[in-house]
Amino acid sequence: MTSTALKTLLQAMTLEEKAAQLAQIPMSACLGGVSEPTGPMTALNLTPESIALCGSLIADGPLDAPSYAAVVRALTNAHPHHIPPIVMKDVIHGHRTMFPIPLAIGATFDERFASRMARCGAREAAAMGAHVTFSPMVDVVRDPRWGRVMESPGESPTLCAAMGAAMVKGTRNGDPSHPDSLAACIKHYAGYGLSQAGQEYSPIDVSRTELFNTYFPPFEACVKAGADLVMPAFVGVDRVPCVCNGWMLKDILRGRMGFEGVTISDWDDPGQLRNHGVAADLKEAARLCMEGGLDMDMMSFAYLPHLAQLVREGEISEQLIDEACLRVLELKNKLGLFETPVRNDSAAYQQAVLSDPETKKAAFEAAAASCVLLKNENVLPLRPGAKAALVGDHADSRAILGGWTLDADRSSTRTLFESFASDPRITLTTPGDADVILFACGEREQDTGEGQSKTRPQLTGAQMDELSRLSALGKPVVLLLFCGRPLILTKAEPLCSAILNCWFPGSEGADAIRALVMGDQSPSGHLSMTFPRAIGQIPLHHDRLSGARPHLDGENYFNRYIDESSAPLYPFGYGLSYTSFALDSKVVKQTLCAGSPAVIRTQVTNTGSCSGAAVLQVYAHLRKSPLIRPMRQLIAFRRVELAPQETAEIEFELTQEMLMLYDADGCGVAPEGICDLAVGMDADAPFAQHILCIRG
Ligand code: GLC
């Protein structure tokens, strides 16, 4: 439809029809068609007429293509202007075929895995009938007590920006109107990862300077990559909830970042203004959110019953409704929904997509590339013929998919036991009879994700007791760790001869873990979040700002704890391999000027006897800056596969923008002077190789 036709359509719509386009209701309310609302929605006196007018449906449960198609057709036909509803769904790390959790995908340090995961998830969900995914989540996360760290690519703004943009591109595949694509809704804008003490739904306290330097950049990158919608976070900035925060949703998102798509609230977030105490009722909440720049109301039923009334009472201008409604119509038009409201109604086609072996292969490769080898005292890989005991909570469990797995096919998820039992190279036996013990344990997948904050992110007492018993047998214990967040492993580490962090590896995770344990390929994941030594260190991340007294040897009064080291157990970016790598360390001095990037070249050699992937990371430290800056910050990374004895030369192009700092007004403070660079394989890499002289 042309933009003129869209505007003509808008002009033909009544106020109620325009307001209803800004409401999202659950698919479950419409399963009986528009004739009788089903489920709890009857309590919200959703009439068949109001259901027919609603602009969007949230897919609140596993359904198949024919069911989705029937609902969309019924609502489109019932609408006075035959405007189709837009169907939205959480496709966070796959849809039916589950990929590793996004925190694990971040650990690949390779955008290709992020893009492929998003591509596969979008293809499967689109075949079912979805039009939009509420993904990627690009919250920068630094607090393992918060359960939602699993949904993020990690603690680094650079890593979150790169992986998030790759996921947006994978989701849209260049054309969100294609039957295999979805539109991408990025979230949660912004600063949700700062929830106080890691406690879910707690307030945040963040400066605008910190937003500009840390929390906005991943959203800017995703907007540039083509994000179609933005979801404000449940939290507030400057004590104004993001969902009705004009500075966030209009000045910054649209004015500074140039976003032109649709803003949609998180679940019932307008209604939650009453909990924040900034709205007395849903009607006031509707006014505040519309004035603040929120286009669509997910499930709070503030907009549906109140927007038209607010206009008639002169409380808000109809122009605000028109602008929001036009953005929703433009989104539907961009997706081709006016011509093709239903992309697929064939269960056979959906099944063909869901059983595509290429998707399973991609999930396997992502799982194998995301596991992080944290310790290995020459135990892994296991030699053929080894006798191994496979024990622990996750040894024979299909619950290795992680959170946000509503539509996952668990029945086809192999357990570790099934996978290892199928491998003739290994004999499974009892701990007493084994040469090596594989101890598969960690978090329960239901204890991760939204609403799953923990004060003690660590192995349970029972798991530690079992580990102690196994260790006392005097045989090497390999900890196969399952987690949706960094866990405190300080007490477990000495009892293990090897530790493989498997995160939640998804549908093909068991076979991927076996492939790594048996040496079919080498682990190559690197930590996307720091693993602290103690809970008391949280939040602990690689890019902390410099303090007044970083260290004063021999003094008591400097940046330290008296009861614990300040160092992490495992730093950001850390990960071992079965092979070894050497980086050339010649010191290179380069000048970086505005508009002309510097190029850092590093040679990396696989000095071992098996293939492996190195993850090169570039960290920067500005020696001097008008604003306090991080002591080190990841600014670039590259994953490179190398055969034994193979050498590759890797080039990194560094620009001033990568080193830019921003003040409280968002104005850039261009770096000048000397910048030390460290090129290495984790955040402990020394500043020894490269120096940038930056000219204004
Ligand atoms: C949830 C989450 C959000 C999700 C939405 C829809 O509360 O905060 O990430 O996309 O509701 O399920």
Side-chain angles (χ1 to χ4, degrees):
M1 197 186 276
T2 65
S3 60
T4 306
L6 281 179
K7 289 179 179 138
T8 305
L9 170 59
L10 184 70
Q11 285 159 4
M13 293 169 73
T14 66
L15 184 54
E16 274 72 13
E17 289 165 355
K18 290 185 283 190
Q21 280 299 303
L22 309 181
Q24 182 173 77
I25 61 172
M27 175 71 83
S28 57
C30 316
L31 291 181
V34 293
S35 52
E36 68 275 355
T38 56
M41 298 310 124
T42 48
L44 292 148
N45 54 54
L46 266 180
T47 62
E49 295 71 28
S50 58
I51 285 181
L53 296 180
C54 282
S56 180
L57 302 172
I58 181 167
D60 57 336
L63 276 176
D64 56 24
S67 310
Y68 270 67
V71 170
V72 169
R73 284 199 177 105
L75 268 66
T76 305
N77 295 337
H79 193 283
H81 303 281
H82 302 305
I83 299 174
I86 186 166
V87 179
M88 303 191 190
K89 188 170 184 54
D90 292 284
V91 185
I92 309 302
H93 54 111
H95 168 68
R96 181 63 51 84
T97 307
M98 297 316 300
F99 280 67
I101 56 174
L103 191 60
I105 294 292
T108 68
F109 280 76
D110 186 332
E111 296 93 321
R112 291 171 298 179
F113 289 105
S115 175
R116 211 173 336 162
M117 170 184 75
R119 181 90 293 278
C120 291
R123 189 161 167 264
E124 289 194 341
M128 182 188 66
H131 300 129
V132 175
T133 176
F134 301 120
S135 180
M137 184 268 218
V138 287
D139 297 303
V140 172
V141 292
R142 280 126 179 223
D143 192 329
R145 293 171 294 183
W146 191 47
R148 302 199 75 168
V149 301
M150 63 146 279
E151 300 175 49
S152 165
E155 72 180 45
S156 155
T158 302
L159 186 62
C160 278
M163 303 307 250
M167 288 173 71
V168 167
K169 291 172 183 171
T171 298
R172 304 176 82 249
N173 204 26
D175 173 10
S177 71
H178 189 281
D180 271 355
S181 299
L182 296 180
C185 175
I186 56 179
K187 67 187 184 183
H188 306 84
Y189 174 70
Y192 189 8
L194 283 165
S195 297
Q196 222 152 47
Q199 191 178 48
E200 186 64 278
Y201 310 127
S202 289
I204 70 171
D205 184 4
V206 64
S207 67
R208 292 190 172 193
T209 308
E210 200 51 28
L211 286 169
F212 284 119
N213 286 290
T214 302
Y215 295 94
F216 285 160
F219 287 92
E220 289 176 285
C222 288
V223 168
K224 280 187 187 133
D228 306 279
L229 301 93
V230 173
M231 181 190 292
F234 280 141
V235 296
V237 166
D238 301 335
R239 297 199 179 194
V240 178
C242 292
V243 72
C244 63
N245 189 313
W247 181 74
M248 292 279 286
L249 298 183
K250 295 190 279 191
D251 301 351
I252 298 302
L253 185 60
R254 297 196 189 279
R256 177 184 176 93
M257 296 185 193
F259 178 65
E260 296 178 343
V262 169
T263 54
I264 179 170
S265 80
D266 202 336
W267 188 286
D268 187 29
D269 206 12
Q272 292 166 174
L273 294 188
R274 294 169 294 183
N275 303 333
H276 286 295
V278 298
D281 51 33
L282 280 179
K283 183 177 176 185
E284 185 177 13
R287 177 177 61 76
L288 291 171
C289 288
M290 183 46 64
E291 288 172 348
L294 181 77
D295 293 331
M296 187 171 277
D297 166 11
M298 178 199 293
M299 290 295 292
S300 74
F301 299 93
Y303 277 13
L304 192 58
H306 296 299
L307 277 186
Q309 184 187 9
L310 286 163
V311 171
R312 291 207 170 83
E313 292 170 0
E315 292 275 316
I316 53 174
S317 76
E318 186 165 359
Q319 185 187 343
L320 287 180
I321 312 287
D322 289 352
E323 289 167 357
C325 185
L326 184 58
R327 284 192 285 265
V328 172
L329 297 178
E330 284 167 345
L331 174 63
K332 293 181 177 182
N333 197 40
K334 181 166 59 169
L335 272 60
L337 301 189
F338 288 103
E339 294 77 21
T340 318
V342 170
R343 288 175 168 175
N344 171 50
D345 60 4
S346 154
Y349 172 75
Q350 179 187 5
Q351 189 48 41
V353 171
L354 296 184
S355 47
D356 184 345
E358 285 305 305
T359 304
K360 290 179 181 3
K361 178 170 175 286
F364 171 89
E365 289 169 353
S370 60
C371 293
V372 184
L373 185 60
L374 297 173
K375 180 178 183 181
N376 188 21
E377 292 174 336
N378 297 320
V379 176
L380 294 178
L382 299 188
R383 55 172 179 71
K387 290 196 292 181
L390 175 55
V391 295
D393 304 341
H394 291 70
D396 201 16
S397 166
R398 299 188 200 287
I400 58 171
L401 304 182
W404 292 109
T405 51
L406 306 176
D407 291 82
D409 177 6
R410 289 179 179 284
S411 61
S412 69
T413 301
R414 293 185 96 187
T415 70
L416 276 178
F417 193 82
E418 288 164 347
S419 182
F420 277 92
S422 71
D423 192 323
R425 296 172 293 177
I426 192 164
T427 303
L428 292 181
T429 181
T430 63
D433 177 45
D435 309 321
V436 62
I437 297 169
L438 304 177
F439 182 41
C441 82
E443 289 195 289
R444 300 186 312 164
E445 61 179 2
Q446 62 266 43
D447 296 340
T448 67
E450 184 175 358
Q452 306 306 319
S453 292
K454 287 181 177 177
T455 57
R456 287 184 289 277
Q458 60 197 23
L459 297 183
T460 64
Q463 290 171 343
M464 283 304 298
D465 291 346
E466 185 174 2
L467 177 56
S468 301
R469 280 196 302 275
L470 294 170
S471 173
L473 295 175
K475 302 172 181 185
V477 175
V478 176
L479 173 60
L480 300 178
L481 180 69
F482 290 82
C483 60
R485 70 183 91 204
L487 297 181
I488 306 300
L489 298 175
T490 311
K491 289 188 177 141
E493 192 273 339
L495 303 176
C496 305
S497 302
I499 301 175
L500 181 67
N501 175 9
C502 308
W503 307 104
F504 281 106
S507 307
E508 303 300 312
D511 287 343
I513 293 165
R514 173 167 59 89
L516 297 175
V517 168
M518 298 308 295
D520 298 342
Q521 55 181 292
S522 167
S524 56
H526 285 248
L527 291 180
S528 44
M529 273 185 86
T530 301
F531 270 54
R533 228 171 255 283
I535 293 170
Q537 291 179 301
I538 293 173
L540 181 61
H541 48 96
H542 79 282
D543 47 0
R544 303 182 92 180
L545 298 182
S546 54
R549 297 184 177 183
H551 64 274
L552 293 170
D553 293 337
E555 286 280 338
N556 286 338
Y557 303 102
F558 68 96
N559 181 244
R560 66 168 182 157
Y561 297 105
I562 60 171
D563 62 350
E564 182 57 87
S565 156
S566 298
L569 184 64
Y570 303 112
F572 172 78
Y574 178 81
L576 299 176
S577 171
Y578 292 155
T579 186
S580 53
F581 300 99
L583 300 179
D584 72 346
S585 57
K586 58 180 181 297
V587 177
V588 176
K589 208 166 188 175
Q590 292 223 26
T591 300
L592 172 63
C593 301
S596 62
V599 175
I600 299 293
R601 289 181 186 80
T602 291
Q603 285 198 337
V604 55
T605 301
N606 178 344
T607 53
S609 55
C610 70
S611 296
V615 172
L616 272 64
Q617 300 150 48
V618 181
Y619 293 92
H621 166 70
L622 288 170
R623 288 190 188 173
K624 180 179 166 302
S625 164
L627 296 177
I628 297 174
R629 76 294 186 235
M631 290 182 280
R632 74 168 54 221
Q633 186 171 22
L634 180 76
I635 58 170
F637 57 87
R638 189 83 47 78
R639 176 192 169 93
V640 56
E641 310 268 350
L642 292 169
Q645 307 311 316
E646 181 184 2
T647 294
E649 176 160 287
I650 308 296
E651 278 193 5
F652 294 100
E653 186 175 274
L654 306 182
T655 65
Q656 261 206 2
E657 177 56 32
M658 294 160 88
L659 298 169
M660 191 72 82
L661 294 174
Y662 297 93
D663 65 18
D665 299 323
C667 298
V669 179
E672 285 196 30
I674 300 293
C675 174
D676 296 297
L677 295 177
V679 181
M681 308 279 269
D682 63 43
D684 283 348
F687 287 107
Q689 293 105 322
H690 302 277
I691 297 169
L692 280 183
C693 305
I694 306 170
R695 299 273 181 272

